[in-house]
Amino acid sequence: MIWHLIAAICAALAGAGIALILRSLTRKWLPKWIIPAFAGLGMLAYTIHYEYTWFDTKQAQLPAGSLVVASETGDMLWRPWTALFPMPLSYTVLDSANAQIEETSKGRMGRFVLYRFEKHHLMSTVKSAAHQLLCSEKVMFSLNEAGQAKFDTMTKLDINAPLYRAICEPNGLQSSLGN
């Protein structure tokens, strides 16, 4: 978080510097208030840039074997530009390196960990949970600490969902990670 503060201060100084140059080029014809206005615009520009590049930056930092299976964008009332250009808010990653996939008498079944990354202002949070996916029934359950399915968390999956394809299709993880 300290790096974001330093970057915002640098952006403010750069904006104020541009305003000072413009004032001197126009022989002080521009008003003095343009300096703090440009400083504020510099900080706003940095913040907007960070919010829209957060997802790509975090995705590039994921370890090998990680697969993004879902992402969410949204808008916020106090950020009016997000109504036209929704910003990334969260994404879910499959830890495919530790996924356990087996063929059973009831069809293919997978046990894996999903990590959910969420952005709150300049802070990011991560939550993880173990899941079980029954491919023949296209349902997923959260698992408790003992590894038992919590049936109240049942979620139906579409066969075109990236998570379903990665776990349930033959060579699904290999083809998903190869892209």
Side-chain angles (χ1 to χ4, degrees), residues 89-111:
L89 299 175
S90 64
Y91 64 99
T92 304
V93 174
L94 168 66
D95 180 10
S96 59
N98 296 315
Q100 300 169 352
I101 301 171
E102 60 183 87
E103 297 292 336
T104 66
S105 60
K106 295 181 181 179
R108 192 173 195 147
M109 180 186 76
R111 285 182 174 233

Side-chain angles (χ1 to χ4, degrees), residues 11 14 39 74 77 85 152 173:
L77 182 63
F85 306 103
D152 59 329
L173 284 177

Side-chain angles (χ1 to χ4, degrees), residues 67 101-103 108-110 133-136 158-176 179:
L67 175 66
I101 301 171
E102 60 183 87
E103 297 292 336
R108 192 173 195 147
M109 180 186 76
L133 174 62
L134 303 175
C135 296
S136 61
D158 185 75
I159 60 170
N160 295 322
L163 178 60
Y164 182 84
R165 288 195 326 242
I167 299 294
C168 296
E169 289 181 358
N171 299 322
L173 284 177
Q174 289 80 14
S175 64
S176 295
N179 291 338

